[in-house]
Amino acid sequence: MVKILILVVLAEICTVIGQILFKKTTNTLEQRSLRGVHTHIQFLKDILIQPSIWFGFFSMAIGLVIWLIALAQADLSIVFPIGSLQYILVLFLAHILLGEKIDRMKFIGTFLVVFGIILITIS
Amino acid sequence: MKNNNLTLKIFALIVLNDIGDTIAQLLMKKGLVQTGISSVTFGNIIEFASRNILSGLLWLGILFYALNFFIWIIILYKIDLSIASPVGSTSYIFVPIVAMIFLHEHVSMLRWIGIIVIILGIHFVSQSKKPIEKAI
């Protein structure tokens, strides 16, 4: 059980760091409107040439492998409730590393989402 | 235009992303179960990996993840990560409801309460005040 807990939390940390790197990458792009196939392809190209997106992939890949190892030996009803802590991790790390604001609504909402997921997944 | 607001279009993209994620998870779980290894240790981790590398279902799951990545990047380009992330929990709402309608699965009272709590949470997050314009 402790082993599963450590695995899931480790997977969460890797995944969230990957997300932060993704968001950091999109934050570096200049503003543009996404209309039509061509602008979307150009957008994808501009994203994929950034090193930070690949560090993000790398971090997520490690997270995914750890997540798969946890999934293979534990029930979804154990892995998913612990996994919901990811949302709280995102809230605080996005604030610290990306400067995203935490206001009361976002704070309450995030904790409600986590609470709801725990209710659904433990049953 | 970049206004950091959770519009209906972005919400629809997030739901689409969740559907893709759910399909990917199911495919991978199915693929992993097929390998027949129930406990992963340092001793059999190589065998575990080499069996999975040949699993078609696992690769299909990974393909879904790749397509999903593109949708997710567009979402992230438009709104804050700390908004996109909790709103992305819609799969926890739709999966039980779809399972109930199409698979005639019983959804317990506790699950219904959980679903309502998540909807409330998403509502709260979507009401969060947006920064006027981020310094880029």
Side-chain angles (χ1 to χ4, degrees):
Chain A
M1 187 61 207
V2 178
K3 187 184 160 198
I4 299 292
L5 184 82
I6 293 169
L7 281 176
V8 175
V9 170
L10 217 60
E12 297 298 289
I13 291 169
C14 291
T15 308
V16 173
I17 288 172
Q19 291 286 6
I20 299 275
L21 286 166
F22 283 0
K23 181 62 180 164
K24 263 212 176 325
T25 311
T26 62
N27 279 353
T28 58
L29 292 186
E30 81 284 9
Q31 291 192 36
R32 63 179 83 184
S33 68
L34 290 173
R35 285 211 173 79
V37 179
H38 181 74
T39 51
H40 279 87
I41 291 170
Q42 186 58 46
F43 175 74
L44 191 59
K45 270 189 199 158
D46 290 347
I47 289 285
L48 291 177
I49 55 166
Q50 308 282 335
S52 55
I53 204 89
W54 294 99
F55 285 119
F57 280 139
F58 182 67
S59 181
M60 284 205 153
I62 295 172
L64 182 61
V65 169
I66 302 171
W67 177 255
L68 290 178
I69 293 170
L71 264 191
Q73 53 195 315
D75 241 29
L76 289 180
S77 60
I78 297 167
V79 177
F80 273 12
I82 311 168
S84 67
L85 297 174
Q86 181 185 327
Y87 296 99
I88 295 168
L89 215 58
V90 165
L91 181 70
F92 290 111
L93 285 182
H95 176 66
I96 296 164
L97 298 171
L98 299 168
E100 292 184 4
K101 293 244 161 40
I102 301 177
D103 56 25
R104 203 189 302 154
M105 289 302 227
K106 206 188 263 181
F107 188 83
I108 296 170
T110 303
F111 275 83
L112 280 176
V113 165
V114 171
F115 182 55
I117 293 171
I118 292 172
L119 285 181
I120 286 180
T121 50
I122 58 169
S123 56
Chain B
M1 290 304 288
K2 193 173 186 179
N3 56 13
N4 295 312
N5 279 312
L6 181 69
T7 60
L8 193 63
K9 188 186 157 200
I10 298 171
F11 184 71
L13 278 178
I14 293 177
V15 172
L16 188 69
N17 184 72
D18 277 340
I19 293 168
D21 189 62
T22 307
I23 295 171
Q25 292 267 357
L26 285 173
L27 287 170
M28 291 200 304
K29 175 74 186 174
K30 234 178 141 56
L32 288 169
V33 168
Q34 278 179 354
T35 61
I37 295 175
S38 56
S39 182
V40 181
T41 58
F42 284 108
N44 67 6
I45 198 160
I46 305 286
E47 195 197 347
F48 177 75
S50 61
R51 280 202 199 177
N52 279 310
I53 221 96
L54 297 169
S55 164
L57 283 171
L58 192 75
W59 284 106
L60 201 60
I62 290 169
L63 179 74
F64 263 91
Y65 263 128
L67 291 173
N68 241 11
F69 162 75
F70 185 47
I71 301 173
W72 185 245
I73 279 297
I74 291 173
I75 295 164
L76 283 188
Y77 177 63
K78 297 186 185 229
I79 56 169
D80 275 3
L81 175 62
S82 53
I83 290 174
S85 170
V87 175
S89 61
T90 57
S91 61
Y92 291 98
I93 301 167
F94 295 126
V95 172
I97 291 175
V98 168
M100 189 186 66
I101 295 170
F102 293 104
L103 305 173
H104 303 289
E105 277 183 20
H106 174 70
V107 178
S108 68
M109 191 50 127
L110 198 62
R111 284 199 177 207
W112 280 118
I113 296 169
I115 289 170
I116 291 163
V117 170
I118 291 177
I119 292 170
L120 266 175
I122 291 175
H123 173 71
F124 271 93
V125 171
S126 69
Q127 295 302 306
S128 151
K129 288 203 179 60
K130 320 300 184 305
I132 311 298
E133 189 54 66
K134 277 181 297 181
I136 297 172

